[in-house]
Amino acid sequence: MLICATCAVEREEPVPRLCPICTDERQYVPDDGQKWLTLDELQQAGQQLAFKENEPGLFGIRSEPKVGIGQTTQLVVTPQGSLLWDPLGYVDDQAVKTVLGHGPVLAIAASHPHMFGVQVEWSHRLGGIPVFVAGADRVWLGRDDTHITYWSHKVALTEGLTLHQTGGHFPGSAVVHWSAGAEGKGVLLTGDTVFPNPDRRSVAFMRSYPNHLPLSGAVALRVAAHLGDLQFDRIYGNFNNVIYSDAKTVLNDSAQRHAAWARGDFDHLT
């Protein structure tokens, strides 16, 4: 198994000359070319994972230094077990020990293919737990495995913890609704299906973030409408970027703003 140095998604050998995920218009191959890594190389170079409690029941896990895109994995802890969301492109024995220290892991899932990381490797090291992959995005898998479970539309992982497929960034792009989060007001973990912006008062809807390719206004409104029936007050993105409160209003207002700019409503300002 090798890991793309740019996106940190695992891939079975023999690997292609270029990573298919990175040659897609949503991502990129660096100017210095394709590089492949191994877990052993990363560990020998001193790679580590750092854990941070974001709020009771939610832990952010980041790689130091950054591996690939460098997302923050979220570990959602419930009384029935945990979800590992947007798994990193690195795992070691200490990380497994820390994760299991919060109880059994029920499932691994990613918001979209850029966040697959070494999800199968995480599964194996955590005891062969299910890896949920949106069926609409299975073409992007770099490593198949018997522990992969394909899903669509909506899956309840356990009480109060549900996957929702919204599409947008990818056809299978998804969010997690955690009803007990934000002191019972509800949390969405969105990856970059819905991306909390630096102003912490708006979110973005993009086909490509690094290449600045937006989604249409109609898709932004569709994603917001899909999430409209859920109860939530907070949103966490895939870099631990957060809308701390009133997130449903922020989501809806941002979708309306995105659609208005896409229609040309504000062209007089340009």
Side-chain angles (χ1 to χ4, degrees):
M1 184 268 290
L2 295 179
I3 306 163
C4 174
T6 305
C7 68
V9 172
E10 62 190 348
R11 193 158 292 275
E12 295 169 326
E13 299 182 69
V15 298
R17 185 177 69 85
L18 296 175
C19 170
I21 286 177
C22 292
T23 55
D24 176 69
E25 68 178 359
R26 284 161 284 205
Q27 186 57 15
Y28 62 91
V29 177
D31 188 54
D32 59 355
Q34 179 71 53
K35 293 182 176 64
W36 298 98
L37 307 169
T38 69
L39 286 176
D40 286 343
E41 289 170 349
L42 288 168
Q43 188 167 27
Q44 290 168 14
Q47 192 68 49
Q48 295 183 11
L49 298 182
F51 288 69
K52 174 190 175 184
E53 185 176 29
N54 289 325
E55 61 178 82
L58 184 68
F59 298 84
I61 310 170
R62 70 180 191 278
S63 54
E64 296 180 346
K66 182 184 79 168
V67 177
I69 293 172
Q71 70 262 30
T72 299
T73 296
Q74 301 290 349
L75 181 70
V76 189
V77 181
T78 79
Q80 296 78 31
S82 302
L83 167 68
L84 193 73
W85 174 250
D86 281 347
L88 282 158
Y90 178 74
V91 59
D92 58 24
D93 292 343
Q94 181 57 50
V96 169
K97 182 178 179 180
T98 302
V99 166
L100 292 177
H102 296 285
V105 180
L106 299 173
I108 297 170
S111 57
H112 66 289
H114 293 152
M115 302 290 106
F116 281 167
V118 292
Q119 57 185 3
V120 171
E121 191 66 27
W122 275 100
S123 171
H124 289 182
R125 297 194 181 207
L126 289 167
I129 62 175
V131 178
F132 285 81
V133 173
D137 290 338
R138 67 186 299 168
V139 68
W140 298 104
L141 270 179
R143 186 181 180 189
D144 203 356
D145 192 80
T146 57
H147 296 105
I148 291 174
T149 297
Y150 294 104
W151 70 282
S152 63
H153 304 301
K154 176 182 175 181
V155 173
L157 299 173
T158 189
E159 184 179 354
L161 196 61
T162 307
L163 297 174
H164 294 266
Q165 180 186 349
T166 66
H169 184 47
F170 277 78
S173 282
V175 307
V176 175
H177 181 236
W178 175 39
S179 62
E183 299 178 334
K185 297 177 182 178
V187 161
L188 289 185
L189 306 178
T190 61
D192 53 18
T193 302
V194 172
F195 187 85
N197 288 327
D199 64 7
R200 301 176 303 284
R201 295 181 288 110
S202 64
V203 297
F205 307 85
M206 300 287 282
R207 176 166 174 82
S208 171
Y209 288 88
N211 299 324
H212 304 290
L213 182 62
L215 294 168
S216 73
V219 171
L221 292 171
R222 186 193 77 198
V223 170
H226 187 111
L227 300 173
D229 291 337
L230 302 178
Q231 297 301 313
F232 59 94
D233 191 54
R234 188 170 297 157
I235 294 175
Y236 289 87
N238 57 347
F239 296 100
N240 229 35
N241 41 331
V242 188
I243 304 296
Y244 288 101
S245 62
D246 203 21
K248 181 177 283 193
T249 299
V250 168
L251 172 67
N252 291 326
D253 289 352
S254 297
Q256 292 291 340
R257 183 181 73 168
H258 183 108
W261 274 98
R263 280 193 307 265
D265 292 6
F266 302 116
D267 284 0
H268 62 285
L269 300 176
T270 65

